[in-house]
Amino acid sequence: MRYLVSPALMAVITVSARACDLCGCYTPQLNTMPEMEWMNSGWYAAVGEQFTHFGTVQVDGNEVGNPTGQYEDSSITQLVAGYDINSRFALQLSIPVIYREFKRPAGFAIDRGSESGLGDMSLLLKTVGFKYSSGARRSFEVGGKNPVAVEHEPDFTVSAVLLTGIKFPTGNTDRLREEFHEIEVPAAPESGIHGHDLTLGTGSYDGIFGEQTSVRYKNIFIETNMQFTLRGDGDHQYHFANDLLWSAGPGYYFVRTGETIIGLQFVVSGEYKDVDRFRGAKAIDTGITSVFVGPRVVVSRGRWSAELEVDLPAMIDNTALQVVADYRIRGGISFHF
């Protein structure tokens, strides 16, 4: 049996930190699955989930006290529908559903609430730019009177997929109106959770550009992923900054048979985003550079594939005062029809 890579088979969760709540696109982790005839074209569907707890207050990258216990819990569920046009091209539509719960100081009072609804939808084109394999072999097994030819997977494979797409302003941006009314109360605790943190959308059409590469030698593999979001003009005179997301890490397949694959990967992921702009001026409490580390488990069986990842912050350097992530949990399940 041969193991190659089609557009839908090269995929990764690229949703990270706070800003990625608005820009990251989940693509199902199908690259662990052995390529069958039914994978050369056809539909696939997936559900991805990311839960992030923001509970640490930092000022310019340094942790400070959190006397009011302010926090934000963010859940983003992405519904994915994709179509493999052929072995080189695939189209994918991602629909995020967002729920956020928060507690923050408002002057000398405490504001508790939640925000939920549809986020910004995105449409991606995945293109296989390069793929190569070597070491494939054929053996013969005796079955009855005649030997049966068995195709074995290549020992070495490498592939690269390009991502291009557009994000649509389908998410509600009413929370951005808070930026017009923020007032600092002298001696009162400062909030690190603002309208730009709670908004469900940016109000802008954004360009998405990325790459996904995978190298495997027998059961050892390395994956790298990068996604850059080029922002357009948003609603309410608020312009989100461009965002760069990346991840990479080695892994090992403990089980890799014709039907079942189980692997473990050590992932290092991160984000870089400059400060946003509001009314033409810099919103100084919006820039971030972060690095997360953690394990990722991938499992596939036939047409099904699933993954689970836990990310812990190794470094977060933010601008001004922000509530930053303590941890995040990401997972997904997909099915190829």
Side-chain angles (χ1 to χ4, degrees):
M1 182 173 294
R2 301 184 64 196
Y3 288 67
L4 300 176
V5 179
S6 70
L9 306 185
M10 276 297 299
V12 71
I13 295 181
T14 49
V15 184
S16 168
R18 180 186 301 271
C20 316
D21 287 356
L22 298 173
C23 70
C25 301
Y26 171 69
T27 52
Q29 181 57 38
L30 298 175
N31 61 299
T32 58
M33 301 174 69
E35 180 166 305
M36 308 289 189
E37 289 298 324
W38 45 264
M39 282 190 169
N40 291 329
S41 63
W43 293 94
Y44 64 91
V47 178
E49 171 65 27
Q50 174 177 289
F51 175 83
T52 309
H53 175 73
F54 302 89
T56 298
V57 180
Q58 289 190 179
V59 176
D60 294 326
N62 299 307
E63 184 176 352
V64 298
N66 185 9
T68 61
Q70 57 181 308
Y71 74 89
E72 179 186 340
D73 287 337
S74 175
S75 171
I76 304 168
T77 303
Q78 293 205 40
L79 309 177
V80 173
Y83 183 74
D84 293 327
I85 301 171
N86 52 41
S87 62
R88 285 183 53 85
F89 299 101
L91 284 174
Q92 176 181 299
L93 178 67
S94 298
I95 305 174
V97 180
I98 301 174
Y99 176 81
R100 295 194 175 104
E101 181 178 291
F102 66 91
K103 173 186 175 183
R104 62 182 177 179
F108 291 101
I110 296 296
D111 178 26
R112 298 174 183 265
S114 63
E115 191 72 28
S116 62
L118 178 69
D120 286 347
M121 297 168 52
S122 60
L123 181 65
L124 289 178
L125 172 66
K126 297 186 285 184
T127 304
V128 175
F130 174 80
K131 62 181 179 181
Y132 171 80
S133 64
S134 66
R137 63 191 187 279
R138 174 181 294 182
S139 65
F140 292 89
E141 296 180 358
V142 177
K145 296 181 179 180
N146 300 315
V148 178
V150 178
E151 298 287 345
H152 295 271
E153 67 174 348
D155 289 335
F156 176 78
T157 63
V158 59
S159 56
V161 171
L162 303 178
L163 301 177
T164 52
I166 184 171
K167 183 185 70 62
F168 303 95
T170 53
N172 189 297
T173 60
D174 286 349
R175 281 285 182 178
L176 290 176
R177 298 178 187 274
E178 292 184 7
E179 305 293 332
F180 290 100
H181 309 295
E182 289 189 347
I183 300 175
E184 292 188 12
V185 178
E190 185 177 352
S191 173
I193 301 171
H194 305 279
H196 58 260
D197 300 311
L198 299 175
T199 183
L200 300 178
T202 64
S204 60
Y205 288 91
D206 303 334
I208 300 172
F209 308 92
E211 63 82 23
Q212 301 170 338
T213 61
S214 178
V215 179
R216 180 185 60 80
Y217 177 70
K218 294 186 176 179
N219 281 21
I220 300 172
F221 67 93
I222 297 176
E223 292 181 355
T224 68
N225 306 274
M226 185 176 297
Q227 186 179 129
F228 176 74
T229 303
L230 180 65
R231 301 288 190 183
D233 293 330
D235 289 343
H236 312 300
Q237 302 180 51
Y238 196 96
H239 184 98
F240 283 87
N242 299 335
D243 204 333
L244 175 66
L245 312 176
W246 58 269
S247 71
Y252 185 82
Y253 295 121
F254 293 95
V255 177
R256 191 174 180 91
T257 66
E259 286 294 322
T260 303
I261 294 175
I262 301 174
L264 177 65
Q265 182 184 14
F266 176 76
V267 180
V268 181
S269 59
E271 173 191 15
Y272 171 75
K273 186 178 79 69
D274 202 353
V275 295
D276 304 338
R277 303 189 73 86
F278 176 58
R279 288 180 165 178
K282 292 183 178 180
I284 61 172
D285 58 347
T286 56
I288 193 165
T289 301
S290 64
V291 177
F292 288 77
V293 296
R296 173 169 166 263
V297 177
V298 293
V299 178
S300 71
R301 176 72 176 175
R303 296 172 183 259
W304 293 92
S305 180
E307 59 185 308
L308 180 64
E309 181 177 337
V310 177
D311 296 327
L312 300 175
M315 185 277 292
I316 298 180
D317 184 18
N318 63 292
T319 58
L321 186 145
Q322 298 182 43
V323 178
V324 299
D326 292 300
Y327 64 88
R328 66 174 178 234
I329 301 173
R330 305 188 289 184
I333 186 168
S334 55
F335 180 80
H336 202 295
F337 295 95

